[in-house]
Amino acid sequence: MSRKILVLPGDGIGPEIVGQAVRVIETVNEKYGLDLELSHGLLGGCATDELGSPYPDETSRQAAAVDAILLGAVGGPKWDDGPRELRPERGLLAIRKELQLFANFRPAMLYPQLAGASTLKPEVVAGLDILIVRELTGGIYFGEPRGIRENADGDREGYNTYIYSEPEVRRIAHVAFQAAQKRGKKLCSVDKSNVLEATVLWKEVVNQVAAEYPDVELSHMYVDNAAMQLVRAPKQFDVIVTGNMFGDILSDCASMLTGSIGMLPSASLNADNKGLYEPVHGSAPDIAGQGAANPLATILSAAMMFRYSFGLGEIAAAIESAVAAVLDDGLRTADIVTEGETPVSTQQVGDAVLDKLSS
Ligand code: IPM
Ligand code: MG
């Protein structure tokens, strides 16, 4: 069965890290005879430069025609001061919304080889393996009305709308419960129901859905406490489910438990497991073009693509083992070196992963 992948390198370090992940995909394609078809497209600042929009129609057509998408990262100072609707981030939000990629999986696991790279004490993070399930196409990111206007006093005011419908909460809750069933069977729903009505309803709906998953232990936590607990005792969590904005914030926080945001992959899925796969980190314009970026989050995102969109868990596992073996060998880009180690380049890490895969 032929499977189609659209590759969107994006901006900043995007092309460098995606380049390595594409080599990994091509290698497993060959090795396992997978019949994968890759095409390339534009998203983000590069798309605005070339086609006048961060999510051009051409990219939208390409995205509609594939089974999965691999994305690098978007954004950079070059586009920061332009019109809001042309910001690279708008392209990312638009593709997530258009493809209805409402379920965002952000695993944060600590590779034992990197325990020293975390800013937290090793005993706090050793063995860490948590999954944040972030709702990705609703909440305050997309709520209307939104904008910047002038109020009755003649002052400008900015406003957004935090809104979730019952079906939106229900579908992400099901995804999260099912993910928890496949792991440690613990789910923590994060809200701010002591203040925000939108999350009072969120909590109520999650509780309703829980009745269908008696084998999963459900708890609830306010987001401020969750942020604190993530750095105090992160291993208390198995799966966390939360809305778009809280998930954005908590997943960055969780990423640093693991030592480097440069290690964390993500998957964003629609109801049919069509997915967009991207590293959790951004486009890192400060190191773009230097060949210094860590390609492992993107390579691990490609692994997630095999698992979630293609149902090829054994290939995902092969890629993940190759990454672990490279870390065992002590190869580290600058973001994960500890004192006394010499960092290697993006390309060297890619070479090493390919080496492990073909051996
Ligand atoms: C992320 C990013 C995006 C988000 C930005 C780039 C729009 O921070 O994927 O976490 O806020 O969702
Ligand atoms: Mg973010």
Side-chain angles (χ1 to χ4, degrees):
M1 179 176 67
S2 144
R3 296 182 175 92
K4 297 193 176 65
I5 302 173
L6 175 63
V7 179
L8 301 172
D11 308 316
I13 57 171
E16 299 160 57
I17 53 178
V18 162
Q20 300 308 320
V22 165
R23 292 170 74 207
V24 168
I25 293 172
E26 283 167 347
T27 301
V28 295
N29 189 24
E30 186 110 326
K31 183 166 174 186
Y32 300 96
L34 296 179
D35 200 9
L36 303 174
E37 273 176 51
L38 275 73
S39 55
H40 282 73
L42 296 169
L43 183 85
C46 59
T48 301
D49 287 352
E50 229 166 278
L51 298 170
S53 156
Y55 184 44
D57 292 344
E58 170 61 17
T59 308
S60 159
R61 275 193 295 274
Q62 288 177 299
V66 297
D67 305 298
I69 299 163
L70 180 70
L71 170 66
V74 300
K78 179 175 176 197
W79 303 282
D80 275 352
D81 301 324
R84 257 186 299 151
E85 61 286 357
L86 290 184
R87 284 191 65 109
E89 291 83 354
R90 286 290 174 107
L92 182 57
L93 297 173
I95 192 172
R96 286 173 177 171
K97 186 75 175 175
E98 186 174 272
L99 298 177
Q100 278 297 302
L101 307 171
F102 68 92
N104 182 217
F105 287 71
R106 297 193 163 185
M109 60 169 280
L110 184 80
Y111 284 84
Q113 301 92 326
L114 298 181
S118 176
T119 47
L120 275 80
K121 294 195 188 99
E123 63 269 26
V124 175
V125 290
L128 180 85
D129 179 5
I130 63 186
L131 173 66
I132 296 185
V133 177
R134 169 187 176 194
E135 199 293 326
L136 202 60
T137 53
I140 197 165
Y141 269 53
F142 294 95
E144 297 282 348
R146 63 188 294 161
I148 299 172
R149 65 189 168 199
E150 197 172 298
N151 67 18
D153 298 329
D155 295 318
R156 289 201 310 150
E157 59 185 18
Y159 58 101
N160 290 88
T161 303
Y162 192 140
I163 182 165
Y164 270 118
S165 69
E166 280 194 88
E168 281 178 313
V169 181
R170 202 171 295 122
R171 67 179 180 177
I172 193 71
H174 278 291
V175 167
F177 276 107
Q178 285 161 23
Q181 277 183 325
K182 294 192 196 121
R183 298 171 38 106
K185 300 195 164 45
K186 273 171 56 183
L187 178 63
C188 179
S189 171
V190 171
D191 63 53
K192 188 69 188 173
S193 57
N194 50 345
V195 179
L196 304 175
E197 285 80 359
T199 71
V200 172
L201 182 70
W202 171 284
K203 186 172 176 179
E204 201 181 302
V205 174
V206 171
N207 276 328
Q208 283 166 10
V209 174
E212 295 176 48
Y213 301 91
D215 54 331
V216 175
E217 183 196 319
L218 173 66
S219 60
H220 300 275
M221 203 180 270
Y222 297 144
V223 63
D224 48 350
N225 186 25
M228 192 257 277
Q229 295 299 336
L230 267 176
V231 286
R232 191 188 73 88
K235 284 187 272 180
Q236 69 185 281
F237 297 108
D238 176 24
V239 180
I240 292 176
V241 64
T242 190
N244 208 340
M245 179 168 61
F246 297 161
D248 178 46
I249 299 166
L250 294 181
S251 61
D252 264 32
C253 179
S255 73
M256 269 324 283
L257 305 172
T258 70
S260 168
I261 197 168
M263 291 299 300
L264 293 194
S266 80
S268 307
L269 303 178
N270 75 5
D272 305 316
N273 291 330
K274 174 166 175 163
L276 173 82
Y277 297 84
E278 54 174 323
V280 170
H281 64 71
S283 61
D286 52 322
I287 58 163
Q290 298 174 10
N294 187 347
L296 291 178
T298 317
I299 291 172
L300 292 167
S301 300
M304 289 183 93
M305 174 185 297
F306 288 100
R307 178 171 294 119
Y308 290 109
S309 284
F310 302 156
L312 295 170
E314 67 284 13
I315 292 181
I319 296 172
E320 288 158 357
S321 307
V323 167
V326 166
L327 294 174
D328 279 339
D329 287 352
L331 262 77
R332 314 250 188 281
T333 42
D335 56 312
I336 49 175
V337 284
T338 39
E339 245 179 73
E341 289 175 338
T342 316
V344 300
S345 69
T346 310
Q347 171 86 21
Q348 281 170 303
V349 172
D351 288 347
V353 173
L354 292 194
D355 232 42
K356 300 289 180 193
L357 273 173
S358 358
S359 65

